[in-house]
Amino acid sequence: MTALARWCLRRRIVVIVLWLAAFAGVAVAAGVTGAAYSNNYEVPGTESGQASARMAKAFPERSGDSDTLVWHTDSGTVRSAAVKKTMRHTLEKIAALPGVSEVESPYGRHADGTGARQISKDGHTAYASVLFDRRTDDLDVDQVQKVVDTAQTASRPGLQVELGGAGIALTEAPRAQLPEIIGLCAAAVVLFLAFGSLAATFLPIITALAAVGTASAGITLLSHAMTVADFAPMLGMLIGLGVGIDYALFIVTRHRKGLREGLPVDEAATRAVAVSGRAVVFAGATVCIALLGMLILRLSFLNGVALAASLTVVLTVAAAVTLLPALLGLIGMRALSRRERRRLAEHGPRPERTTGIAARWSGFVERHPKLLGTVAAAVMLALALPAFGLHLGTSDQGNNPATSTTRKAYDLLAGDGRGSGFGPGSNGPLTLVGTLDGAKDRIAFDALPDRLRDTPGVARVSRPTFDGGHSTGVITVVPTSSPQSRQTSDLVERLRTEVLPKAGGAATLRVQVGGITASYDDFASLIVGKLPLFIGVVIALGSVLLLLAFRSIGIPLKAALMNVAAVASSFGIVVAVFQWGWGSELLGLGSAGPIEPFLPVIMVSVLFGLSMDYQVFLVSRMYEEWQLTHNNRRAVRVGLAETSRVINSAAVIMIAVFGAFVLSGDRIIAMFGIGLAAAVALDAFVLRTLLVPALMHLLGGANWWLPSWLDRWLPRISIEPPPEPGAVRLPGPQDGEKPLVRA
């Protein structure tokens, strides 16, 4: 690290130019190729995945995205001449738009009566299916926007026109600019209060932006090589801004300390990277390991998210140890405030004194470890209680903000249950795909709708349709419950295990349940089944790293326990806000609904990594003091006093950045924002500055115990370099109330 820092300082202009060139090159490449994000939840091998593949092969004309245009009259019916004339003309214009392959109108004359089924019983609501010529992931947003604009021109007093579906949702995609700006402004305020220097304030922000900007463009390119969710760039931005600013903060803080101690600029920057840079690399490695733990789930949807987020973290670490020292050399002594520079010129360097609130708090924790530890544990437990009611499922457009057209279309289709609309299940019908081999199979499949109509939980069943060779048949089943409800999941299970296996009789008929609702259930079930293995692997890998770094059994065990506590408590808050709906509408996040099935996996990865960051920065200073004095009380007191202010400043920045993404307008990103902000707040202000030091005081020397035989076999990893020349330590158990002097 020392050699790298010196090279970057000597060639600071070259380093800055290389970063600018890398950003420009990747950004241009991403702009030329465009994005290819995908939100495909289907997993090959599951029943819904097999049904989808069979459908695509047998009915290629249905492979495009089908969305819905809904209209509703307050008085009169949708069959009135005026409404018919308006909507027929509108549907004709939409059918002629580029990107639209077909429009199925309720006013057409269909022998099978499909038109009648597209008008509600009370006659106040109707819908048309708009079939695009491509899948959702390949749609042109501008073409979809023209469909929305054309449809909404038909709205007038007494006639409401709304649109819903995955394609239409593209026009409501969130924009990250506002959360970015708010998060960066909040971070700038915290940094200026901590540093008092504008130059030092902007260095962490510039470093993080360079890394995140390059990573965002890189994720766009990555989307062409593998499945990457459309929320991955914003998630990467959320994580990258938080950890990037924090990593730079730790290094700049150490650099400023060196300047105040009288070191030349280059020497102070070199020492800062050599000391804090090691901890940054170690912390970044733990975050990446936790994120890459998602690869063991073998889900293409999550593989792309894991690699995208890891790429962002790798680049933030690289920027912190290369670009940042170059910028530190460039601004020189301006890393200090004017007052600090004037004091240094008049009085010369002075020894650092750990005094003030941090030192007093550290002493307070030392004197009352049992009481404070009990209070902290009670707070974490109380916040974690809602997590026991966690319901995993996929939210849909019924959870969108009430002002969005997709939410209004969803509500119009669902109706009020008294003849208005088409019932809640119309927003997520099931698709039954039959593989037919011979006349007996076709006869059995033809008779299947009669059996399905008597099944509890089924509202409507369509007539069978067949492909050209009559080897594949399709039936649409509309549940009585909404797509995200437990009753719909129970219906899927009932069809698969009870109804359909008995439907074939003596025939060889095989029917699979597919559709987006079934695919969501399969995706959630697969993740829940693998979640214990995933959490176990992440905990084990993080514990091994801490074991190697701190040569202790107790430190990794406490870290694992604290990480689980932070995850559980943050999930309790997420459940209260999103599943119970406490304040979700007020925040513009839509109505209450289930928690996304992939959220636990991604949040566990990110939170374990971020928790390890604070664990490393806190315990590494304690470990350094323990090695010098072998006095546990002093080690814990000094470590907490000297790191708590920096950790708390870093936490406030992360909370501001993560919290700002609640304003993104995207429910999934808002879940991450609230969950991560809550976890960081609890981790920094309850766990690392209260519960962890309290436990370490209670355990005494057992914190650092390691069997001698294990110590001989373990390889050594050093986070902190050898002590700085001239450092003075004041050992002894009775110096808790004195300023700790470090020359």
Side-chain angles (χ1 to χ4, degrees), residues 375-417:
V375 171
V379 169
M380 299 299 291
L381 179 60
L383 292 175
L385 288 177
F388 290 99
L390 176 66
H391 169 45
L392 294 180
T394 302
S395 57
D396 51 34
Q397 293 177 349
N399 300 113
N400 287 357
T403 56
S404 65
T405 186
T406 50
R407 167 71 178 276
K408 292 175 182 176
Y410 186 100
D411 292 342
L412 288 176
L413 281 175
D416 57 11

Side-chain angles (χ1 to χ4, degrees), residues 19 22-24 26-27 30 37 207-223 228 232-241 304 307-317 319:
W19 269 99
F23 170 72
V26 179
Y37 301 120
T207 304
L209 285 177
V212 170
T214 306
S216 182
I219 293 171
T220 301
L221 297 177
L222 183 66
S223 67
V228 178
M234 196 177 293
L235 177 64
M237 193 179 304
L238 184 150
I239 298 170
L241 287 177
L307 291 177
S310 298
L311 173 64
T312 306
V313 174
V314 168
L315 288 177
T316 58
V317 172

Side-chain angles (χ1 to χ4, degrees), residues 2-346:
T2 301
L4 176 64
R6 285 174 177 165
W7 188 91
C8 292
L9 283 161
R10 286 197 302 268
R11 296 169 175 81
R12 61 195 64 166
I13 301 301
V14 173
V15 172
I16 295 171
V17 170
L18 286 176
W19 269 99
L20 289 174
F23 170 72
V26 179
V28 169
V32 172
T33 60
Y37 301 120
S38 172
N39 283 344
N40 185 8
Y41 289 87
E42 292 175 359
V43 182
T46 61
E47 183 168 328
S48 59
Q50 293 171 353
S52 177
R54 182 79 184 179
M55 273 283 294
K57 183 178 179 181
F59 301 95
E61 70 278 4
R62 298 189 185 182
S63 61
D65 176 71
S66 180
D67 289 38
T68 306
L69 190 155
V70 191
W71 57 99
H72 175 81
T73 58
D74 296 325
S75 59
T77 73
V78 294
R79 292 187 175 93
S80 68
V83 174
K84 268 189 177 182
K85 180 180 179 181
T86 299
M87 295 312 303
R88 274 179 170 168
H89 180 62
T90 302
L91 296 177
E92 287 171 1
K93 290 198 294 184
I94 291 174
L97 290 174
V100 178
S101 64
E102 185 182 356
V103 175
E104 295 179 359
S105 169
Y107 299 130
R109 294 182 179 180
H110 301 283
D112 61 357
T114 54
R117 290 201 301 271
Q118 291 173 238
I119 298 177
S120 63
K121 290 181 181 179
D122 64 0
H124 287 294
T125 308
Y127 73 89
S129 296
V130 179
L131 187 66
F132 290 99
D133 57 7
R134 281 168 286 177
R135 294 176 63 88
T136 303
D137 298 333
D138 302 321
L139 285 175
D140 186 333
V141 179
D142 292 334
Q143 291 181 349
V144 179
Q145 186 62 54
K146 288 180 180 178
V147 172
V148 175
D149 295 340
T150 303
Q152 292 185 337
T153 56
S155 293
R156 63 170 187 261
L159 177 61
Q160 180 183 2
V161 181
E162 307 294 347
L163 298 97
I168 302 301
L170 296 176
T171 63
E172 297 177 338
R175 299 292 181 263
Q177 284 78 5
L178 178 61
E180 276 185 57
I181 294 171
I182 294 175
L184 290 175
C185 289
V189 171
V190 176
L191 289 170
F192 184 74
L193 292 175
F195 295 152
S197 163
L198 280 177
T201 295
F202 286 112
L203 285 189
I205 295 176
I206 293 171
T207 304
L209 285 177
V212 170
T214 306
S216 182
I219 293 171
T220 301
L221 297 177
L222 183 66
S223 67
H224 293 275
M226 63 189 307
T227 302
V228 178
D230 62 357
F231 63 82
M234 196 177 293
L235 177 64
M237 193 179 304
L238 184 150
I239 298 170
L241 287 177
V243 301
I245 294 175
D246 273 12
Y247 291 165
L249 167 66
F250 289 120
I251 293 176
V252 173
T253 300
R254 181 74 71 143
H255 173 71
R256 284 165 42 82
K257 177 184 174 184
L259 293 179
R260 289 194 298 269
E261 292 176 349
L263 294 176
V265 171
D266 284 8
E267 184 61 28
T270 301
R271 191 175 294 279
V273 174
V275 176
S276 295
R278 292 188 182 208
V280 164
V281 171
F282 186 86
T286 61
V287 175
C288 289
I289 288 173
L291 289 169
L292 294 176
M294 285 189 277
L295 298 179
I296 67 172
L297 298 176
R298 297 184 179 180
L299 296 174
S300 59
F301 180 83
L302 292 177
N303 291 347
V305 174
L307 291 177
S310 298
L311 173 64
T312 306
V313 174
V314 168
L315 288 177
T316 58
V317 172
V321 297
T322 58
L323 178 60
L324 183 57
L327 293 174
L328 289 173
L330 197 64
I331 67 170
M333 293 298 295
R334 284 176 294 170
L336 297 178
S337 66
R338 290 183 179 178
R339 181 184 300 176
E340 289 173 319
R341 295 199 300 269
R342 186 165 56 250
R343 185 186 302 126
L344 186 64
E346 293 175 357

